[in-house]
Amino acid sequence: MPDAHLLEQAERSAKRQKLKIWENYVEGEEVPNGAAVESKQKEVLKVIVTEVLGGGKFYVQTIGDQKVTSLQKQLAALNLQEVPLIGAFSPKKGDIVLAQFSADNSWNRAMIINTPRGAAESLKDMFEVFYIDFGNQEAVPYGRLRPVDPSMSSAPGLAQLCSLAHIKVPSLDEDFGQEAAEYLSDYMLNGATEFVATIEEKDTSGGKVKGQGTGNILIVTLVAVGSEHSLNALMLQEGLARLEKRKKWESKERQIAFGSLEGYQEEARTDRRGMWQYGDIQSDEEDAGPVRKPGGRR
């Protein structure tokens, strides 16, 4: 019979070899022995929509984000009664300032995207600003602008630009573009208050929306909390969007996504809803650019 001590050593050696296989394991990757491991799950965010643009794009804030809470406390603690002296405060295009939003007189961080010609000469001189934490913009008089502390201006904007995945929504200057924007605005801002956004992919090419940087665009499937249908599907069902053109070599994941949405588009086509009211639409190639110029609304 083999020596008991030698058997014990062999067992320990086998255990060490087994552990060694997994010592460099990373979720979603393949281990050296070729064993398949569970793929990484899609990122899911709970969000509120803060602004709706044309072409199916919109801005969101993440619910429960501590950065949002912290910023709100900082802004609430500010005392901004004193009007700035003309000449002493000269905001330029691209500067981050504090601006008083006309709808509720709240103070918010904003980027200057347009200025009067020459230096400001009156408290009524108008500056066009983009609210970096909400995604909307408006023209604000000089008297409703204030310099911002560097500790607040250095933090990136909290508004995240998103687009609906797998569908094409017409831009504002296309047929049914206005109707699509109104439907999205009513649904996102006046209807449901919280949404679950599943990130299908990220557009890292960046882009510009009326002068302000937008960073990465999250391509998402958006579902209102408590709803059974995604907003992507509802837009197809209303005839206010259509499925993207399929590519020759779609991933299995995208094939499944398209398959789950085709029924909604077919319903709109059959009932001649929205863009299908005059019959079938000729398919075209996908747009090369990630963003079309929108017309924001709040």
Side-chain angles (χ1 to χ4, degrees), residues 96-226:
I96 303 298
V97 299
L98 292 175
Q100 195 171 27
F101 184 51
S102 61
D104 60 8
N105 292 324
S106 62
W107 289 94
N108 298 280
R109 297 191 305 166
M111 177 190 290
I112 302 289
I113 56 175
N114 257 322
T115 64
R117 290 185 177 179
E121 298 176 351
S122 162
L123 295 179
K124 294 182 180 179
D125 283 352
M126 302 302 288
F127 289 72
E128 194 172 358
V129 302
F130 169 70
Y131 293 102
I132 64 174
D133 299 313
F134 294 91
N136 58 317
Q137 62 189 62
E138 66 173 350
V140 177
Y142 179 84
R144 293 168 75 98
L145 298 177
R146 299 289 188 276
V148 61
D149 188 274
S151 64
M152 291 179 66
S153 64
S154 59
L158 301 176
Q160 172 64 60
L161 185 59
C162 298
S163 180
L164 294 172
H166 310 309
I167 66 172
K168 288 192 63 165
V169 180
S171 61
L172 291 173
D173 57 358
E174 294 179 318
D175 289 343
F176 293 97
Q178 291 286 346
E179 291 87 340
E182 287 171 10
Y183 180 88
L184 286 172
S185 183
D186 187 58
Y187 191 92
M188 291 175 163
L189 300 178
N190 303 324
T193 55
E194 295 183 0
F195 297 86
V196 175
T198 301
I199 301 173
E200 307 293 348
E201 56 184 301
K202 294 181 181 180
D203 182 347
T204 57
S205 61
K208 293 282 183 181
V209 178
K210 287 196 174 178
Q212 73 274 5
T214 61
N216 294 346
I217 304 172
L218 302 184
I219 314 299
V220 303
T221 295
L222 197 74
V223 181
V225 171

Side-chain angles (χ1 to χ4, degrees), residues 229-271:
H229 307 284
S230 70
L231 186 52
N232 313 52
L234 294 176
M235 289 293 287
L236 292 171
Q237 191 176 48
E238 294 295 323
L240 297 175
R242 58 191 173 92
L243 282 169
E244 288 179 344
K245 182 180 176 64
R246 290 207 187 193
K247 297 176 178 62
K248 271 189 175 181
W249 304 108
E250 294 284 9
S251 67
K252 186 176 180 181
E253 188 177 46
R254 277 177 64 85
Q255 288 179 31
I256 293 170
F258 275 106
S260 67
L261 291 170
E262 279 175 334
Y264 295 93
Q265 178 167 284
E266 189 56 36
E267 184 179 332
R269 191 204 305 262
T270 302
D271 292 347

